[in-house]
Amino acid sequence: MIKKFTYGKPIQTEAVVKELTPESSRLPYFDVRDNAEGEHTCSLVYPMKEEDIVYGLGESVRGINKRGFLYKSKCNDDPVHQESTNSLYGAHNFIIISGSVCFGLFVDFPGEVVWDIGYTSLHELVITPCEPDFDLYLIEGADEKAIAKEFRQLTGRSYIAPKWAFGYAQSRWSYMNAEEVREVVKEHRENGIPLDSVVMDIDYMERYKDFTINEAAFPKFAEFVEEMARQGIHLVPIIDAGVKREEGYDVYEEGLQNHYFCKKEDGSNFVAGVWPGKVCFPDMLNDDARRWFGRKYKLLLDQGIEGFWNDMNEPAIFYSEDHLKEVFEELGKMKDRELDIYEFFHFKDLVLGVANNDQDYASFYHDYKGETIRHDRVHNLYGYYMTRSAAEAFEELVPDKRILLYSRASYIGMHRYGGIWTGDNMSWWSHLLMNIRMMPSLNMCGFLYTGADLGGFGADTTEDLVLRWLAFGIFTPIMRNHSALGTRRQEAYRFESKKIMADIISIRYALLPYLYSEYMKAALEDGMMFRPLAFDYREDTFARRVEDQLLCGDSIMLTPVYEQNAKGRYVYLPEDMKLVRMKSADTYETEVLPKGHHYIDIALDEVVFFIRKNKCLPLAKGAQCIGELDFADLKLLGYVTEKAEYDYYMDDGYSKDYDNPAYRMKFEMERQAVTL
Ligand code: MIG
């Protein structure tokens, strides 16, 4: 049951797809506390009981249980984020409180929301949207899964990626030219490392101009796209939010003429510095500008491209033209003076504060639904509407085909238009753990097509980290190895253990019929592919405490290793389960283990997961790319004491008639006798 409560006059976000009449009664469970006089904001206060767990907040730091920290919903580009970072790239204002009572709460507000979840006071949850105008949706249901499902029905069906986009993707900032891309593909193929796509970072463009191609580096682009396609490879170019300010560049000129760019108070275009140099930001919130920008993707679609990633759309701002001027003036005044230490710190803050500056976010405007709205008030919608711009254009340009699309910034509602990768992580073990813990909360918020940069983006990775991260990444819908400019190369073939990497990656392909089927069912039935243990084993006290194991789909439980030099790990089994230890796509051992605590050895060259009781999953033979995977040659792997049934979903991976019953099949497994 969903109840809507409206405070003040909220700006519409279009996160919600159902119309509800706001309640006239008071919001239950919470106290509404007015904050300091004159501020006109209020906080929602909930007294947490000892046993309450708070799930949710999508893309954010820390645990599956979000208690004990302060989070801010504010799309933020922080490539060296860590445990103490309050905001990441997405803003996902949905939580489920689970304890003596169980309910969900969605705060639909496009500006900053502060979530103090037992930070100021251990047992108090205090939610503060930075303006007094917002919609609240309170969701009650039988359990966490039912609540999450209702929420997803409220916000609409999740984006569905094409099947090929479930293959392994290799990325790097940047592969500089066609030769380098060919080399990457060749190395994968020669070393038997499966691969479905190569991701093109900003250097494929001509001086970082959206919808251009650097002809010198990628001559005859359409032919190159085709050459790759013949090898089973999709190229996935990046699109940045900012449009280079350059006379004669058609995208800029058109935007200028039609007033499609975000403007300052005086009506002139807001100018920021990002990769292309000086840029203007298309007003993605404006219907006309959005339609215009979306249609630009056609240039690449026409050359055979079938997938994109949208970057820098928080939007990230290295500096603004105006603010930079001010900073230089301040610095000028300091130049020949002897600075005391505090003045020196001021100097440092000035310089470091140039990027993603709050003052800048409050200095440009959108033309949204006929109103002029200052950016900071709708900040969290920008990446959402950029991705929507592309998705709506695809719907119009290629209505019968799924196009791969994922974004860096996001807000709930964007999940209908594209997936997200979780932005710039680091090659840190703690970020592997963060990736694991984030999967359920992302799924809860509708982001099913998602994953982190495997191996870590920033900093030099290590071989064992890549192995362990791949061993987890084979389960996440986006399975992309990506790393930053200047860091150690981390393509699988660069390492001594490339044979092991090939085997681990090939396990992804063996499991793909299961993983794709589970993903599709989650998308079509508003379910969660990744769940905390406690969502399925509600009454189990230990399951409620587990922070580093996940249910993945209906049949299996994951117990990834995320610590360096670990030879294995402690695992909690909430019921008897069957351990599966895979060494490659077709080599595995199994063993039934009783409910309880175990220490499980897991070597660097293995993938371990557990099959739940009376569950099974289809297993394919490996392949070098999805196109070569034989979906007709499956075998069932199960743990059956009585009977197991598997609901299999399989389609061609391109078309959109998702609800066609021909895509559904039931597999049954009786006490180890296999019937297909
Ligand atoms: O300021 O395009 O998150 O994946 O490699 C960095 C270069 C811009 C940030 C993205 C990252 C990408 C990088 N981009």
Side-chain angles (χ1 to χ4, degrees):
M1 233 244 302
I2 308 181
K3 287 187 182 144
K4 177 180 181 179
F5 299 84
T6 295
Y7 294 76
K9 284 206 174 71
I11 296 171
Q12 295 309 302
T13 66
E14 299 188 16
V16 161
V17 296
K18 279 188 183 168
E19 276 222 32
L20 299 181
T21 315
E23 303 286 322
S24 48
S25 58
R26 279 193 56 225
L27 172 74
Y29 304 121
F30 290 85
D31 277 334
V32 180
R33 187 191 283 165
D34 276 323
N35 290 331
E37 244 176 84
E39 275 197 19
H40 300 303
T41 61
C42 56
S43 295
L44 310 166
V45 183
Y46 180 78
M48 295 186 287
K49 301 242 170 55
E50 191 60 40
E51 72 270 22
D52 286 345
I53 297 177
V54 180
Y55 296 105
L57 293 190
E59 190 176 343
S60 50
V61 298
R62 302 207 177 210
I64 289 178
N65 185 348
K66 306 315 283 187
R67 283 182 74 154
F69 195 54
L70 184 139
Y71 310 85
K72 290 182 183 168
S73 294
K74 181 187 182 190
C75 297
N76 182 34
D77 174 20
D78 181 353
V80 280
H81 56 264
Q82 41 196 322
E83 200 178 322
S84 55
T85 303
N86 306 101
S87 326
L88 299 180
Y89 297 88
H92 308 142
N93 297 321
F94 177 51
I95 56 167
I96 292 178
I97 297 176
S98 157
S100 50
V101 288
C102 186
F103 62 89
L105 184 79
F106 173 41
V107 180
D108 191 9
F109 176 72
E112 185 174 325
V113 182
V114 179
W115 298 81
D116 180 340
I117 310 184
Y119 168 76
T120 303
S121 161
L122 262 184
H123 293 287
E124 214 171 54
L125 163 64
V126 185
I127 306 166
T128 313
C130 75
E131 288 182 48
D133 306 289
F134 51 87
D135 285 318
L136 291 182
Y137 295 86
L138 184 85
I139 305 165
E140 291 174 299
D143 55 26
E144 296 83 358
K145 280 201 283 194
I147 292 167
K149 193 190 211 63
E150 279 228 43
F151 172 66
R152 299 270 300 290
Q153 286 163 350
L154 177 72
T155 49
R157 185 181 271 182
S158 293
Y159 161 78
I160 294 176
K163 200 193 289 173
W164 65 263
F166 288 77
Y168 182 51
Q170 181 56 54
S171 184
R172 173 78 182 177
W173 173 19
S174 295
Y175 296 122
M176 299 302 289
N177 50 50
E179 255 337 288
E180 273 192 43
V181 174
R182 285 191 183 101
E183 178 76 16
V184 169
V185 174
K186 188 170 141 253
E187 288 287 349
H188 280 81
R189 293 286 180 252
E190 282 180 6
N191 288 293
I193 306 165
L195 185 69
D196 268 272
S197 57
V198 177
V199 178
M200 303 175 78
D201 211 319
I202 46 177
D203 294 283
Y204 81 86
M205 292 184 251
E206 187 204 319
R207 288 174 300 121
Y208 308 135
K209 281 149 65 182
D210 278 340
F211 313 113
T212 67
I213 285 156
N214 178 340
E215 294 286 342
F218 292 92
K220 303 199 179 131
F221 189 61
E223 280 172 35
F224 181 56
V225 174
E226 219 193 291
E227 174 193 327
M228 287 296 118
R230 280 197 297 274
Q231 299 180 58
I233 299 294
H234 281 82
L235 296 175
V236 181
I238 195 170
I239 303 291
D240 276 11
V243 169
K244 186 175 177 62
R245 195 181 67 173
E246 183 183 275
E247 242 176 77
Y249 165 40
D250 55 348
V251 183
Y252 173 68
E253 295 284 358
E254 286 171 30
L256 191 67
Q257 268 158 32
N258 297 298
H259 299 282
Y260 287 155
F261 295 127
C262 292
K263 298 204 165 35
K264 297 193 291 192
E265 203 170 4
D266 66 6
S268 64
N269 286 333
F270 174 74
V271 178
V274 202
W275 288 107
K278 299 270 176 82
V279 304
C280 290
F281 290 115
D283 186 356
M284 304 293 182
L285 275 69
N286 176 268
D287 292 344
D288 296 332
R290 187 166 71 246
R291 209 164 299 134
W292 162 75
F293 192 80
R295 287 194 187 129
K296 293 287 162 206
Y297 287 76
K298 182 167 189 301
L299 185 116
L300 289 150
L301 290 174
D302 286 347
Q303 308 198 54
I305 294 297
E306 296 184 320
F308 300 88
W309 51 311
N310 284 345
D311 190 21
M312 305 300 275
N313 52 4
E314 294 68 31
I317 295 177
F318 293 167
Y319 64 86
S320 78
E321 202 172 44
D322 291 346
H323 185 63
L324 192 65
K325 221 177 276 163
E326 286 167 25
V327 169
F328 272 123
E329 266 163 35
E330 284 269 316
L331 297 183
K333 287 185 221 151
M334 296 179 173
K335 190 163 170 250
D336 297 316
R337 286 207 359 255
E338 189 170 315
L339 303 182
D340 71 25
I341 205 67
Y342 294 101
E343 287 169 316
F344 169 73
F345 284 139
H346 177 56
F347 160 86
K348 203 175 114 196
D349 289 346
L350 273 176
V351 176
L352 295 179
V354 160
N356 305 325
N357 185 289
D358 282 339
Q359 191 188 316
D360 283 333
Y361 287 128
S363 72
F364 63 93
Y365 294 80
H366 297 276
D367 174 7
Y368 185 48
K369 297 182 188 289
E371 268 182 76
T372 304
I373 300 184
R374 206 171 74 185
H375 175 80
D376 56 336
R377 303 184 60 209
V378 288
H379 175 73
N380 292 334
L381 299 185
Y382 193 82
Y384 162 16
Y385 276 69
M386 176 188 182
T387 300
R388 180 172 178 174
S389 129
E392 285 174 346
F394 300 157
E395 202 55 53
E396 190 185 303
L397 298 165
V398 271
D400 299 326
K401 193 158 128 189
R402 295 182 221 170
I403 301 290
L404 167 63
L405 180 62
Y406 54 93
S407 170
R408 194 170 72 176
S410 62
Y411 182 81
I412 287 167
M414 200 205 85
H415 69 286
R416 301 193 298 271
Y417 301 101
I420 50 177
W421 95 99
T422 54
D424 296 347
N425 58 11
M426 298 288 278
S427 295
W428 294 341
W429 292 86
S430 60
H431 277 190
L432 165 54
L433 178 58
M434 186 166 70
N435 176 196
I436 296 164
R437 289 176 168 166
M438 226 189 258
M439 291 307 290
S441 56
L442 290 169
N443 277 198
M444 232 175 91
C445 295
F447 296 96
L448 297 178
Y449 188 74
T450 184
D453 286 347
L454 305 179
F457 175 75
D460 292 335
T461 199
T462 60
E463 190 159 355
D464 53 351
L465 181 58
V466 176
L467 284 164
R468 294 299 197 193
W469 215 325
L470 285 174
F472 176 66
I474 60 168
F475 296 98
T476 63
I478 298 185
M479 185 192 178
R480 183 179 86 152
N481 176 336
H482 181 46
S483 57
L485 187 73
T487 60
R488 179 181 185 178
R489 290 277 168 171
Q490 64 188 41
E491 293 88 359
Y493 59 82
R494 307 264 180 188
F495 298 99
E496 250 169 49
S497 49
K498 59 187 175 188
K499 172 75 179 70
I500 299 171
M501 298 212 184
D503 283 339
I504 290 179
I505 296 167
S506 72
I507 296 172
R508 157 73 155 210
Y509 288 72
L511 290 171
L512 205 105
Y514 173 71
L515 295 170
Y516 180 76
S517 168
E518 290 303 312
Y519 164 84
M520 288 303 292
K521 288 187 289 177
L524 300 176
E525 292 156 17
D526 299 308
M528 291 169 63
M529 180 171 170
F530 289 89
R531 301 178 305 285
L533 263 49
F535 275 34
D536 289 47
Y537 302 93
R538 289 197 86 214
E539 307 304 325
D540 185 317
T541 315
F542 284 116
R544 285 175 67 79
R545 296 176 187 175
V546 171
E547 284 271 340
D548 59 357
Q549 301 175 200
L550 299 175
L551 296 164
C552 170
D554 189 46
S555 306
I556 66 176
M557 179 177 79
L558 309 181
T559 59
V561 176
Y562 52 85
E563 281 174 331
Q564 189 157 35
N565 300 320
K567 304 289 179 212
R569 53 162 291 170
Y570 287 96
V571 164
Y572 175 65
L573 304 188
E575 61 179 334
D576 299 354
M577 288 189 183
K578 182 185 266 183
L579 179 153
V580 183
R581 184 182 298 280
M582 296 189 84
K583 294 249 186 211
S584 73
D586 50 12
T587 347
Y588 59 87
E589 293 162 6
T590 65
E591 178 190 358
V592 173
L593 293 174
K595 170 182 159 90
H597 298 274
H598 300 266
Y599 186 90
I600 308 292
D601 287 336
I602 306 173
L604 276 176
D605 63 352
E606 298 174 331
V607 173
V608 163
F609 64 87
F610 290 83
I611 308 181
R612 301 166 72 187
K613 199 175 195 170
N614 289 314
K615 304 275 183 191
C616 59
L617 65 152
L619 204 62
K621 302 227 163 71
Q624 290 302 297
C625 62
I626 302 273
E628 286 174 10
L629 202 63
D630 187 352
F631 288 92
D633 186 10
L634 302 178
K635 94 172 165 210
L636 285 182
L637 191 59
Y639 171 34
V640 190
T641 57
E642 287 153 33
K643 190 175 143 175
E645 265 188 7
Y646 183 70
D647 284 317
Y648 184 55
Y649 179 100
M650 193 48 63
D651 57 19
D652 64 5
Y654 265 114
S655 22
K656 294 182 176 172
D657 57 337
Y658 308 118
D659 302 305
N660 187 336
Y663 299 152
R664 299 266 182 173
M665 246 176 279
K666 250 195 202 345
F667 295 156
E668 276 180 23
M669 207 172 161
E670 310 227 351
R671 270 251 205 77
Q672 310 309 34
V674 180
T675 42
L676 253 186

